Amino acid sequence: MRWRMLALLFFARIALGFQFQTAASVGGDLVTEFGIDYSEVGFLIGLFMVPGLFLALPAGVLGRYFPDRFLAFAGLSALALGGLLSGFGPGPVTIGFGRLVAGAGFLLATLYFTKMVADWFEGREISTAMSILVMSWPFGIAMGQVGHAWLAGLQDWRLPFVVASLYCAVAAAAVLLLYRAPDGRKTQAAGSSNRLSAREWQLILLAGTAWGVFNAGYVVYLSFAPQMLEELGHAPLQAAALVSVASWIMIFSGAVCGQIVDRFNHRDLVLIMCMTGAVASLWLIGIAGAGLAASLLFGLVGMAPAGVIMALSGEAVAPARRAFGMGIFFTVYYAIMAAGPPLAGWIFERAGTAGASLVLGMGLFACVIPVALMFRIVRVSGRVTEPREGGK
């Protein structure tokens, strides 16, 4: 049953990446249609993440009053509504408002999909299950990279928003009707304390930073690798297809990476190797003729540890305070994600080449290594001073 529930949640969570990718895929059309620049397109992309800055902690509290499947349904419904608002909007302001509505839905769905998987897989294959869940995001983005470009060419920039919203609506109905919580699931007591120790604050902030810069680097790749390939002479659809190869591959490499870390540990070594591969792939994308090799390296190695990095949040805070800790984790994540795309767009406008924005992406991926190592240092030192608390 748990694997069937994971399959359902994977199918539904694809909607998040599929809807997110709309603005990035039609960014060039928006520039032409409304006379905006690429920094403003980056702003529209980043708006998707802004609600998480304010709603992550309140969203965690809602779980005490409503069933998980209802909150996931509400999140997917908001994603559908936001996409329709953007798709039928008369200008950038309405598109931006739609992105905010969709972003609020993204926050709700992300939190409760993660919780639902944790409920089903607690204590057994959790890293592998979480890696599979996380890979639904790039799966949806990969669908959007090719599908949205094709849909926009078939009609105009509005059609991708509408199609993505229809998928979100179908996913919402599927979760509401088909999801079942595991028998005997334990819930956090309403009176549980949310007060974190100083060490837990350090750990959850480090975990959120690692997850945030990792995902911001991925968004920079998604947004500016196609631009780089077009600068090198590729047609837009060809460039989108080449970049999407990484997103398809990482769906499988992520699950394999989770299995490797579960079986053999050595998480820090795996992260160092994978982030080195991510930096190398962003460098390769700017070399003529190396686009496919760069995309393969990025998918096989660079993005493989997504689930491993996400698992840091589970180690950071004791179980009794984990819900509150996850709210902090996602607040940090959303803060970084809201800032990353506009900064990359600003760099592109100033430099006049997508290669400059990709350098930012390299820096973001490189930052994962010291942050993860600091997480390990803080956690290991805590074992000495606090031998009874958390961790393996």
Side-chain angles (χ1 to χ4, degrees):
M1 174 65 78
R2 60 199 175 103
W3 293 106
R4 278 185 284 173
M5 291 298 103
L6 180 60
L8 169 65
L9 297 178
F10 183 93
F11 162 79
R13 197 173 181 271
I14 288 171
L16 279 60
F18 196 47
Q19 186 66 273
F20 171 78
Q21 183 60 26
T22 48
S25 292
V26 302
D29 296 308
L30 298 179
V31 169
T32 302
E33 178 85 6
F34 300 110
I36 61 177
D37 58 34
Y38 280 98
S39 63
E40 291 172 298
V41 173
F43 180 75
L44 290 175
I45 296 170
L47 279 177
F48 197 85
M49 299 297 171
V50 169
L53 289 170
F54 311 100
L55 299 180
L57 290 176
V61 175
L62 289 176
R64 297 184 178 185
Y65 307 104
F66 300 99
D68 294 345
R69 67 190 179 99
F70 176 80
L71 291 167
F73 166 80
L76 289 165
S77 298
L79 277 160
L81 175 61
L84 290 176
L85 288 171
S86 293
F88 290 107
V93 173
T94 311
I95 295 172
F97 179 71
R99 296 288 287 178
L100 286 173
V101 173
F106 174 79
L107 178 276
L108 262 183
T110 296
L111 275 176
Y112 286 96
F113 281 144
T114 304
K115 182 180 182 298
M116 291 149 88
V117 169
D119 287 343
W120 273 104
F121 287 87
E122 183 176 4
R124 46 182 180 173
E125 303 152 317
I126 182 62
S127 295
T128 301
M130 200 64 72
S131 293
I132 292 171
L133 180 73
V134 168
M135 288 304 110
S136 61
W137 166 257
F139 190 99
I141 286 174
M143 286 174 53
Q145 285 174 315
V146 177
H148 293 333
W150 178 75
L151 288 168
L154 190 66
Q155 185 169 325
D156 60 20
W157 64 269
R158 299 179 186 276
L159 187 58
F161 285 99
V162 174
V163 173
S165 294
L166 291 174
Y167 188 101
C168 291
V170 171
V175 169
L176 185 64
L177 296 174
L178 301 178
Y179 179 76
R180 297 293 180 269
D183 294 334
R185 178 177 60 86
K186 295 180 180 180
T187 57
Q188 182 181 0
S192 298
S193 173
N194 285 329
R195 182 175 297 176
L196 306 187
S197 68
R199 174 174 166 268
E200 287 176 325
W201 272 103
Q202 290 177 321
L203 289 173
I204 201 65
L205 290 172
L206 287 167
T209 300
W211 185 237
V213 296
F214 178 80
N215 280 276
Y218 180 45
V219 172
V220 169
Y221 170 82
L222 294 175
S223 303
F224 294 98
Q227 292 282 347
M228 188 72 253
L229 290 173
E230 289 181 38
E231 289 179 24
L232 294 173
H234 291 275
L237 188 57
Q238 183 186 28
L242 277 174
V243 170
S244 73
V245 169
S247 296
W248 291 112
I249 293 174
M250 64 188 280
I251 296 163
F252 306 100
S253 67
V256 172
C257 187
Q259 280 280 302
I260 290 172
V261 172
D262 274 345
R263 288 176 179 271
F264 304 108
N265 204 3
H266 301 301
R267 181 177 63 202
D268 295 337
L269 177 60
V270 169
L271 287 176
I272 290 170
M273 294 175 63
C274 290
M275 292 305 93
T276 301
V279 172
S281 62
L282 265 65
W283 174 73
L284 279 174
I285 205 78
I287 299 176
L292 180 59
S295 192
L296 289 170
L297 178 62
F298 191 72
L300 285 170
V301 179
M303 291 302 295
V308 175
I309 297 171
M310 174 64 114
L312 295 176
S313 62
E315 298 181 17
V317 179
R321 299 179 291 278
R322 188 163 291 152
F324 181 70
M326 287 297 290
I328 298 168
F329 173 84
F330 277 106
T331 299
V332 175
Y333 159 75
Y334 280 111
I336 295 172
M337 286 291 283
L343 177 59
W346 180 84
I347 291 172
F348 175 75
E349 289 292 334
R350 295 300 179 272
T353 174
S357 297
L358 292 177
V359 171
L360 172 65
M362 295 180 206
L364 290 167
F365 282 121
C367 282
V368 174
I369 296 173
V371 173
L373 292 176
M374 183 60 68
F375 182 95
R376 174 64 62 191
I377 291 169
V378 173
R379 189 163 181 267
V380 170
S381 66
R383 287 175 178 171
V384 176
T385 58
E386 302 173 69
R388 294 185 180 181
E389 183 158 295
K392 295 181 180 179

